Amino acid sequence: MVGDKARGEMNAFQRNESKETLFTFISAGDDSPKGDFPVQKKSPKLCGSNYPLSIAFIVVNEFCERFSYYGMRAVLTLYFLSFFHWDENLSTAVYHAFSALCYFTPVIGAIMADSWLGKYKTIIYLSIVYVVGHLIKSVGAIPSLGNQVIHVILSMVGLFLIALGTGGIKPCVSAFGGDQFEEEHTSERNQFFSIFYLSINAGSLISTFVTPVLRGDVKCFGEDCYALAFGVPAALMVLALVVFIAGSGLYRKTPPQGNVLLEVCKCIGFAIKNRLKNRSRHIPKRDHWLDWASEKYSKQLIGEVKMVTRVLFLFIPLPMFWALFDQQGSRWTLQATKMNADFGIYVLQPDQMQFLNPLLILVFIPIFDLGLYPLINLCKFNFTPIRKMATGMILAGLAFGLAAIVEVKINETDMPRLVPEESLIRVLNLAKNPVQVTIQDRDLFQQPVKAFQVSLKYSKLILNGEQQSLRFTLRHQGLSLAFNYTVKEKSVYSLIVFEAEGSLSSRLITDLEAKPENGLAAVRFINGLSQDVNLTIDNKRFIAVQKNYSASEYSLLERDKYNNGKCITEMGEFTLELGLLDFGASYTIVITNVSGGAVKTWKSEDIKANNVHMAWQIPQYLLISAGEVMFSITGLAFSYSQSPASMKSVLQAGWLLTVAIGNTLVLVVAQAAPMAQWAEFVLFTVLLFAVCIVFSIMGYFYVSVDPKDLEEKEEKRETASSRGNMISLVTQKTKL
């Protein structure tokens, strides 16, 4: 684990914190405010302990806010896909653009808190922005409110405000909680961060399980209830704001102390500018490029910035890990929509699988901390922080390798991808005897199609252009009949053969070109009766089908058994039993006759149901969650141990930016290089393994230091320089 030098300060969160906790552990300022502040009254204590009563309001606020954020984000990808009808690449790109923005904006919140408003007012003002964004987002999900352009505008404005709000308060809330403790109550403060961590993961775990249920199991406006799925998180954010304001009279509010991140940026900028101005050979060189800032900035600040840049250099390869990790809410969720979600006692929504990550993090942290790491130490293996992070990268890469394998198996039930001047066709024989079908100048159907049998699979039909008129010949009991139909490219057809008025006839109908989205089942009806019928499937959907083998449009239904339908004809009302309509399948149901008070049907599965179970995603979630524990928790704790306390906010900003850049990488790949999904998973796997090698090499040459030792060396060097000592001082450089 991280060395003993870091354990004292990083103890609480090094053992327990997840990625999210690490982001909020340190404020944009420093640890807790130090120095002379206005005298404030002591906050009342909880039940006679040393815990301020005010932290109860902060913990509840954090739980509600995290529920709000993760609950909204859990259903976001499917919202783009189903509500806006965007394709998977665009939905993924916008999802990751939003995620990236959420990790760019904490820098804004940190500057506001430390240089202008203070933490308390920053949290209040940006929480109001947060609430407004949620409300706009919820209103934009009401189908009856305007057209799609209005929905998109409202949703994008809402997401921008949410990103500004959630990112802006991210570096403030936990630090504000730490401010509530008096200096002598260090152990209580550390315990608070553990409680704070639990509130984050509890909010994430519950919301990622509950919000998809509100979306999928509750219906409003005749479809999935996204307005409710966004409205409940909005209500939780309102509650978070109300709870936080309710504790206002109990808080210790420290004034702004200035933002060290701005000072660091100014120092680096001045050093670069000054170096470029003094490129003459006659000007003496300096030991380090940051020494060119010494004309304006103190030696202490320059020395601390040097320490930070060593660590920030190690951050360069890290975005690739987050590029993979954050695809749980986009690509992995989309993958889950194409799988079988029936677990026997419960049917999961595809976006519910995300709840596995916070659940596994809660399970893995004590296992790793109390079991795995001590066991490795007993084996005398030096499992350094760099090695832990590299192992985390490898585990995330393996997770995407498994995702690629699962995707390949899923694709086995997909319809073939069509290209220009190409179509698919099959024969559906509803006559009483076998029929031989031939198509003009083509040799497709070698064997006769038996009665009430579908040709084994779709056959590829090559055309001479965008569309072509073809002659279809039917041979039946010595008779030969011909029909002409126009076939269009990149389309899928069924040729229905049936008997009418003692002779053969046919219809060419259009089939689905791809699986139904979101694990829904598609069904259409062919009416083989001599009278029109009206069908009721689930007491909600009413379908009218004309007589003499007319076909209805497809209806999309939730996966279920439908045995209580109704069929109304001129002869009366009859029971309609459809059986199981499974995930992702497409069905053609032929009404053949009415007998014994029930409608007799024949069901054909046109597109196979999803036959890969969603449980096959569990191994990839196990690997990537274990990777997060090793990579995220260890990484930030180690980097903090390698820099002075005053520079922690700079490291936090750098860490958050690696997450933002990682999400940006996914956005670029999704839009600039669209490819088969399994190939994209393999690409990310290879990229992460390559980055892991680079990071391992960097880590091999990295020399761990104690910031205090570097400070002492810097002081000695300054002292020697001030006395005019011209002895050549050799500063030990760190190999990177």
Side-chain angles (χ1 to χ4, degrees):
M1 297 193 64
V2 181
D4 292 335
K5 298 171 184 175
R7 289 188 66 88
E9 183 173 342
M10 303 302 296
N11 180 44
F13 69 89
Q14 182 184 339
R15 292 195 312 266
N16 296 318
E17 304 297 315
S18 68
K19 175 186 72 171
E20 181 62 39
T21 314
L22 293 174
F23 292 158
T24 58
F25 180 75
I26 303 297
S27 84
D30 301 327
D31 293 327
S32 53
K34 298 177 182 179
D36 297 327
F37 299 110
V39 178
Q40 301 186 38
K41 62 180 181 180
K42 292 186 177 181
S43 174
K45 306 299 182 182
L46 276 170
C47 304
S49 66
N50 290 325
Y51 293 94
L53 180 60
S54 55
I55 67 168
F57 294 89
I58 295 173
V59 170
V60 173
N61 164 269
E62 184 66 13
F63 170 82
C64 295
E65 189 274 328
R66 291 292 85 188
F67 186 108
S68 169
Y69 173 74
Y70 282 112
M72 178 277 303
R73 201 179 73 160
V75 300
L76 197 56
T77 300
L78 295 188
Y79 174 69
F80 295 148
L81 191 70
S82 303
F83 195 83
F84 291 161
H85 303 292
W86 290 348
D87 61 36
E88 292 187 358
N89 288 331
L90 180 58
S91 300
T92 298
V94 176
Y95 173 89
H96 286 282
F98 167 72
S99 297
L101 188 59
C102 289
Y103 288 100
F104 278 120
T105 51
V107 177
I108 299 174
I111 294 173
M112 289 176 61
D114 290 344
S115 303
W116 180 25
L117 296 174
K119 299 183 187 72
Y120 175 75
K121 288 184 178 179
T122 300
I123 294 170
I124 292 292
Y125 294 158
L126 290 182
S127 291
I128 293 173
V129 172
Y130 201 163
V131 167
V132 172
H134 265 302
L135 294 177
I136 293 175
K137 185 76 185 70
S138 302
V139 171
I142 299 176
S144 59
L145 185 66
N147 55 26
Q148 183 168 341
V149 175
I150 298 297
H151 294 149
V152 171
I153 292 174
L154 289 175
S155 295
M156 295 304 106
V157 171
L159 287 175
F160 175 79
L161 295 178
I162 290 171
L164 181 60
T166 188
I169 68 175
K170 192 184 295 291
C172 301
V173 178
S174 63
F176 186 69
D179 291 347
Q180 307 309 305
F181 292 86
E182 298 165 14
E183 289 298 325
E184 62 269 22
H185 298 148
T186 305
S187 62
E188 286 83 359
R189 181 191 286 121
N190 289 340
Q191 198 65 31
F192 159 74
F193 286 119
S194 294
I195 298 171
F196 191 84
Y197 153 78
L198 289 175
S199 70
I200 290 173
N201 282 274
S204 171
L205 177 62
I206 296 172
S207 64
T208 51
F209 190 86
V210 171
T211 310
V213 174
L214 300 177
R215 173 198 63 79
D217 292 352
V218 179
K219 301 299 178 183
C220 58
F221 306 102
E223 55 189 51
D224 284 356
C225 200
Y226 286 100
L228 179 63
F230 292 135
V232 170
L236 264 292
M237 190 59 219
V238 172
L239 179 60
L241 179 58
V242 170
V243 169
F244 187 76
I245 294 175
S248 177
L250 302 173
Y251 299 140
R252 298 178 69 212
K253 304 168 187 174
T254 57
Q257 299 298 306
N259 188 272
V260 69
L261 177 60
L262 290 178
E263 287 300 307
V264 170
C265 292
K266 290 178 182 178
C267 177
I268 293 174
F270 182 81
I272 295 173
K273 182 179 178 181
N274 197 27
R275 179 67 185 90
L276 293 175
K277 283 183 177 180
N278 297 278
R279 289 175 291 178
S280 173
R281 296 180 180 179
H282 303 293
I283 299 176
K285 294 183 178 181
R286 303 186 183 183
D287 291 336
H288 194 282
W289 64 272
L290 279 168
D291 290 333
W292 289 95
S294 58
E295 284 84 355
K296 185 175 181 180
Y297 295 94
S298 68
K299 294 292 184 181
Q300 180 182 354
L301 177 62
I302 293 174
E304 291 176 346
V305 174
K306 289 178 184 178
M307 300 177 206
V308 168
T309 53
R310 296 176 66 252
V311 181
L312 291 179
F313 183 74
L314 283 177
F315 281 7
I316 293 175
L318 305 190
M320 187 53 66
F321 175 87
W322 301 119
L324 275 68
F325 180 84
D326 278 342
Q327 290 188 58
Q328 294 175 70
S330 56
R331 293 301 198 191
W332 284 15
T333 296
L334 293 173
Q335 184 184 71
T337 64
K338 298 177 284 187
M339 304 178 77
N340 186 334
D342 186 3
F343 284 82
I345 59 175
Y346 187 77
V347 176
L348 278 181
Q349 297 291 339
D351 37 3
Q352 272 183 302
M353 285 296 287
Q354 298 173 63
F355 91 96
L356 282 177
N357 178 248
L359 176 64
L360 290 171
I361 291 298
L362 290 172
V363 173
F364 281 158
I365 286 173
I367 291 176
F368 279 49
D369 225 32
L370 303 177
L372 180 62
Y373 294 155
L375 182 62
I376 292 175
N377 290 335
L378 287 175
C379 297
K380 306 299 182 181
F381 178 74
N382 186 19
F383 203 29
T384 63
I386 296 294
R387 289 173 179 172
K388 288 180 184 177
M389 294 177 68
T391 303
M393 289 182 173
I394 293 172
L395 292 176
L398 291 175
F400 264 65
L402 289 181
I405 295 173
V406 170
E407 190 70 24
V408 170
K409 296 299 293 182
I410 289 172
N411 291 344
E412 292 178 358
T413 61
D414 276 352
M415 292 289 287
R417 290 182 178 273
L418 296 174
V419 298
E421 299 186 1
E422 180 180 287
S423 293
L424 296 177
I425 191 169
R426 65 167 189 168
V427 177
L428 180 59
N429 182 12
L430 304 181
K432 296 178 180 178
N433 296 292
V435 175
Q436 178 67 56
V437 179
T438 57
I439 303 177
Q440 173 185 335
D441 300 329
R442 287 161 178 82
D443 187 18
L444 293 182
F445 305 107
Q446 301 292 332
Q447 301 296 326
V449 181
K450 296 180 180 179
F452 283 91
Q453 177 183 323
V454 182
S455 51
L456 295 179
K457 60 181 181 179
Y458 284 97
S459 298
K460 187 177 295 185
L461 190 60
I462 306 301
L463 307 179
N464 295 331
E466 293 183 359
Q467 64 180 31
Q468 183 179 356
S469 179
L470 297 175
R471 176 180 292 272
F472 292 76
T473 303
L474 309 180
R475 293 183 176 83
H476 172 68
Q477 294 182 336
L479 299 177
S480 179
L481 299 172
F483 302 88
N484 290 325
Y485 293 109
T486 299
V487 179
K488 297 181 179 180
E489 67 176 1
K490 302 175 71 173
S491 298
V492 182
Y493 296 97
S494 285
L495 179 68
I496 304 174
V497 179
F498 56 92
E499 295 181 9
E501 298 178 354
S503 180
L504 279 185
S505 186
S506 66
R507 293 181 188 273
L508 188 68
I509 60 176
T510 304
D511 296 353
L512 289 181
E513 299 170 10
K515 274 181 169 289
E517 295 178 347
N518 300 334
L520 298 175
V523 60
R524 68 177 173 188
F525 295 88
I526 295 177
N527 181 11
L529 303 180
S530 58
Q531 51 190 303
D532 297 342
V533 298
N534 292 298
L535 308 175
T536 303
I537 301 176
D538 54 1
N539 296 323
K540 298 177 184 177
R541 299 176 186 270
F542 301 92
I543 302 172
V545 190
Q546 295 181 349
K547 59 186 178 181
N548 297 331
Y549 295 94
S550 295
S552 69
E553 297 293 330
Y554 281 100
S555 296
L556 296 178
L557 301 171
E558 298 285 344
R559 185 260 192 188
D560 204 349
K561 290 184 178 180
Y562 293 88
N563 292 325
N564 297 316
K566 302 294 182 183
C567 176
I568 303 175
T569 70
E570 295 175 358
M571 297 181 289
E573 182 177 302
F574 304 92
T575 301
L576 179 64
E577 295 184 0
L578 305 182
L580 176 65
L581 303 182
D582 213 347
F583 294 107
S586 171
Y587 299 94
T588 296
I589 297 179
V590 182
I591 301 173
T592 57
N593 58 69
V594 176
S595 175
V599 174
K600 302 299 181 182
T601 60
W602 178 75
K603 182 167 69 174
S604 165
E605 187 180 54
D606 306 336
I607 299 177
K608 292 183 178 297
N610 301 343
N611 60 3
V612 180
H613 200 277
M614 202 180 286
W616 285 106
Q617 278 197 326
I618 294 177
Q620 62 200 55
Y621 272 98
L622 286 168
L623 287 173
I624 206 162
S625 298
E628 181 190 5
V629 173
M630 286 190 164
F631 177 88
S632 179
I633 298 173
T634 305
L636 197 52
F638 169 73
S639 60
Y640 279 4
S641 74
Q642 297 294 293
S643 66
S646 60
M647 292 288 119
K648 287 181 179 177
S649 63
V650 181
L651 284 175
Q652 185 191 25
W655 187 269
L656 292 171
L657 288 177
T658 65
V659 184
I661 295 170
N663 278 275
T664 305
L665 291 175
V666 183
L667 186 160
V668 171
V669 171
Q671 285 297 294
M675 61 187 76
Q677 190 54 65
W678 68 267
E680 185 179 288
F681 286 152
V682 171
L683 172 64
F684 278 112
T685 300
V686 172
L687 288 176
L688 186 58
F689 284 160
V691 166
C692 180
I693 294 173
V694 173
F695 178 74
S696 299
I697 295 172
M698 294 169 63
Y700 178 78
F701 289 101
Y702 181 85
V703 180
S704 296
V705 297
D706 184 345
K708 292 182 180 179
D709 293 341
L710 290 180
E711 289 173 357
E712 291 175 0
K713 289 181 181 179
E714 190 69 22
E715 288 175 1
K716 290 179 181 179
R717 190 180 69 83
E718 291 177 22
T719 302
S721 176
S722 64
R723 291 176 180 175
N725 186 354
M726 301 305 294
I727 297 176
S728 177
L729 299 177
V730 179
T731 303
Q732 182 175 354
K733 300 290 192 306
T734 299
K735 295 181 179 179
L736 296 179

